[in-house]
Amino acid sequence: MLSAINRRVLSILLSCILLVSMLLTGCGAETTQHKPGKIRIGMTLYDQYDTFLSQLAEEFAGQIEPDVELITYNASQSQQTQNSQVRKMIEEGCDVICVNLVDRTDPTAVIDSARKAGVPIVFFNRELVEGDIGRWDKLFYVGADAAQSGIMQGELAARTCLTDRSVDKNLDGIIQYVVLEGEAGHQDSIVRTEYSVNTLMKEGVKVDKLGYAIANWNRAQAQTKTSQFIESFGDSIELILSNNDDMALGAIDAYESSGMIKSGWPVIFGIDGTDVGLEAVRDDKMVGTVYNDKEGQARAMYRLAMLLAKGGSIDELSDEYAVSEGKYIRLPYAKVTAANINSYLGR
Ligand code: BGC
């Protein structure tokens, strides 16, 4: 028989075990059963209807091996929603979480939850600022170098303007252009615009900016804004630089519905090389785009996520990728025109 003292020691011991197991399972939170032996990866997208990201997420899902589970959430453009999704994924036992931030300047709640639970985060596509990524050693970023995409777009546009005299429709020796910009505050909007226009000028093209419009990466918004440009400037727009393919396609939609004959259209350049973007290059509606390597980014994210889930370090990837500051992996962009479109179509 147990003595009163032994019974008391036993009961304290049992309470401790219960407390620890409650803490480990998230204290009464609703959890789905984490299959033993399986690695669980969580992912949240700022907006699952974004063309580029939906293709990137599809590529990522295509990597998942039989002993790995993937849980994906759509934050529907709400940072608050995303914050609670991250908490939920932690409760659901995710070993690592891939976060496409809604508001790249507001990752505090995501970082705090992850850090408290010891779950590493791979941010992607929407880059958090340096001060934030430095807040914990298990925060990483996979993406691309925005400046490089701007430079490549500027080079493509310059080559066309300098070699095809028909671009300068009014023959004034100056290229009248407009810019379609992504979300204000997104690293890829600010930087792409700046580098694209500066490169164009550096390459020796004289330019005259007629206007710019923020169309939030969105095809329909870009169509509306371009229709307004057509109303204001008629056929005097000679070049459209778009921060992504979807907005370039919106511009094409606007010209198609304007009834203007194709020879009156400006030359249009995008960035991304989404399936629809590549088709527009193939069909000679868009002169060129810059390939945003979604396959490469998805592969790098997966390789990194798996390493982190197993307790490994990003340094183990340094033979395959250029890892900078022990935190960043950036995949290179590439120029796409009619000349090399076949090696990109159907990737
Ligand atoms: C892509 C855009 C996309 C945006 C979303 C950019 O890198 O080029 O197409 O809408 O990311 O964050």
Side-chain angles (χ1 to χ4, degrees), residues 98-168:
C98 299
V99 178
N100 177 229
L101 281 169
V102 176
D103 181 350
R104 72 186 193 97
T105 65
D106 187 17
T108 305
V110 169
I111 295 174
D112 288 350
S113 309
R115 191 174 176 174
K116 209 164 120 202
V119 176
I121 302 279
V122 178
F123 292 98
F124 64 102
N125 171 263
R126 299 162 75 87
E127 187 171 337
L128 65 174
V129 292
E130 251 183 78
D132 286 326
I133 206 166
R135 285 177 47 196
W136 186 35
D137 63 355
K138 298 230 165 358
L139 306 175
F140 304 89
Y141 179 76
V142 174
D145 173 12
Q148 188 190 34
S149 57
I151 291 170
M152 286 185 172
Q153 187 183 59
E155 287 171 351
L156 283 175
R159 204 187 54 189
T160 303
C161 295
L162 296 171
T163 56
D164 180 354
R165 297 282 160 210
S166 71
V167 174
D168 183 15

Side-chain angles (χ1 to χ4, degrees), residues 10 43 74 95 113 121 126 175 187 204 218 263 297 308 347:
L10 194 67
M43 174 180 271
N74 175 21
D95 301 291
S113 309
I121 302 279
R126 299 162 75 87
I175 300 299
Q187 81 279 348
N218 181 279
S263 57
Q297 290 169 33
L308 298 172
R347 263 198 180 191

Side-chain angles (χ1 to χ4, degrees), residues 50-67:
D50 180 288
T51 308
F52 174 75
L53 280 161
S54 63
Q55 290 187 8
L56 174 64
E58 206 178 297
E59 287 296 331
F60 187 85
Q63 312 271 319
I64 302 296
E65 296 152 290
D67 58 341

Side-chain angles (χ1 to χ4, degrees), residues 46 50-53 100-101 124-126 183 186-188 192 216-218 243-246 271-272 274 292 297 333:
Y46 93 102
D50 180 288
T51 308
F52 174 75
L53 280 161
N100 177 229
L101 281 169
F124 64 102
N125 171 263
R126 299 162 75 87
E183 288 162 273
H186 190 302
Q187 81 279 348
D188 288 341
R192 282 176 182 169
N216 297 308
W217 307 120
N218 181 279
N243 283 171
N244 80 343
D245 282 358
D246 255 21
I271 293 178
D272 273 344
T274 54
N292 194 357
Q297 290 169 33
Y333 284 98

